[in-house]
């Protein structure tokens, strides 16, 4: 039986087809011993291995064996049951990961956009509970500055003069500040600021247009708009609050090769790291 290349398992009535090498990722597990006929819990019937366990949860165990990663749906809640199944199959690295629910559960993420409009300028401040999200968003947003002469502040076309990209203000790791529109400088000269938000290629100067594109970008990124409110009617400050359930990064078990078994792997419980 150990020479099989393709193995068929029936777990609680659910059929799985996989390679023997996948089941042998952890040679000390019961799944690996099953192929050698060393575990009577697995009955061989008509060429299929049968085991009376939960077939739905076994699909997550197969995914782990194929990828060495734990990546569960955002609505998953059966951590203890899946941990018990992992222990049954002798997959202790997986069981150890599942015991650390705080690393695997999705987190509620809050993001707030404050928008104010003053004369010919619009001001934006974005605050996020997750600094990584704010950093990623700041990489999508670029502010360009240039001079215009005798043009309307909300002209849809940039000045013919070269535009210079400006760094965003980052008061902290959790927020960013930028603005668009024009400042009257001297004579008929205007200093104009345009905003571009990737993957959109437009350079927008009108604050309302920038706000619309920003909100649309957040919605496409999985955020949900939960409230809008006016913070200050005198200063015309509006606040848009968003939230989303953010999946944690996949957790990966590092394995070291067993010199005696090419392609097989051994894992220690302590060998756990965050997957990239």
């Amino acid at each position: 039986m150990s020479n099989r290349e393709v193995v068929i398992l029936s777990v609680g009535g659910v059929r799985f087809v996989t390679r023997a090498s996948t089941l042998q990722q952890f040679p000390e597990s019961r799944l690996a011993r099953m192929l050698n006929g060393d575990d009577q819990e697995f009955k061989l019937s008509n060429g299929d291995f049968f085991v009376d366990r939960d077939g739905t949860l076994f699909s997550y165990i197969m995914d782990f064996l194929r990828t060495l990663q734990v990546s569960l749906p955002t609505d998953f809640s059966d951590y203890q049951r899946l941990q018990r199944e992992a222990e049954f199959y002798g997959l202790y690295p997986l069981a150890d990961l599942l015991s650390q629910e705080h690393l695997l559960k999705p987190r509620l993420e809050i993001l707030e956009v404050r928008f104010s409009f003053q004369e010919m300028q619009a001001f934006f401040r974005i605050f996020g509970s997750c600094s990584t999200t704010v950093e990623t968003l700041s990489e999508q947003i670029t502010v360009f500055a240039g001079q215009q002469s005798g043009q309307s502040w909300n002209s849809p076309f940039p000045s013919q003069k070269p535009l210079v990209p400006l760094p965003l203000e980052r008061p902290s790791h959790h927020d960013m500040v930028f603005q668009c529109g024009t400042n009257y400088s001297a004579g008929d000269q205007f200093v104009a600021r345009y905003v571009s938000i990737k993957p959109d290629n437009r350079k927008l100067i009108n604050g309302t247009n920038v706000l619309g594109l920003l909100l649309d970008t957040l919605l496409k990124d999985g955020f949900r708009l939960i409230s809008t409110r006016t913070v200050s009617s005198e200063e015309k400050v509006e606040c848009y609050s968003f939230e989303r359930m953010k999946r944690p990064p996949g957790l990966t078990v590092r394995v070291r090769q067993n010199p005696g078994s090419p392609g097989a792997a051994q894992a220690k419980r302590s060998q756990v790291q965050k997957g990239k």
Side-chain angles (χ1 to χ4, degrees), residues 45-140:
S45 175
N46 297 324
D48 298 358
F49 288 99
F50 173 80
V51 59
D52 190 16
R53 303 295 294 191
D54 191 305
T56 300
L57 293 179
F58 189 72
S59 65
Y60 299 116
I61 289 176
M62 283 303 308
D63 182 65
F64 169 74
L65 290 174
R66 288 166 175 150
T67 66
L68 296 180
Q69 277 199 353
V70 182
S71 183
L72 301 172
T74 55
D75 59 349
F76 185 83
S77 59
D78 289 336
Y79 293 95
Q80 291 184 350
R81 290 182 60 214
L82 184 55
Q83 180 183 353
R84 187 166 63 243
E85 293 299 293
E87 290 173 347
F88 169 81
Y89 292 108
L91 296 170
Y92 297 109
L94 173 59
D96 283 353
L97 285 181
L98 292 168
S99 69
Q100 304 175 65
E101 289 186 29
H102 64 285
L103 297 178
L104 298 170
K105 286 184 175 179
R107 296 174 176 83
L108 180 64
E109 185 177 354
I110 303 296
L111 191 139
E112 184 179 274
V113 177
R114 292 202 174 199
F115 169 71
S116 63
F117 190 79
Q118 301 173 15
E119 296 181 352
M120 296 185 295
Q121 297 183 82
F123 298 86
F124 296 82
R125 183 160 193 162
I126 301 175
F127 173 84
S129 60
C130 177
S131 60
T132 303
T133 297
V134 177
E135 179 65 30
T136 300
L137 187 59
S138 69
E139 294 172 356
Q140 293 179 254

Side-chain angles (χ1 to χ4, degrees), residues 231-242:
V231 179
S232 172
S233 56
E234 294 181 359
E235 298 180 1
K236 300 180 180 178
V237 179
E238 298 175 352
C239 178
Y240 299 81
S241 298
F242 294 82

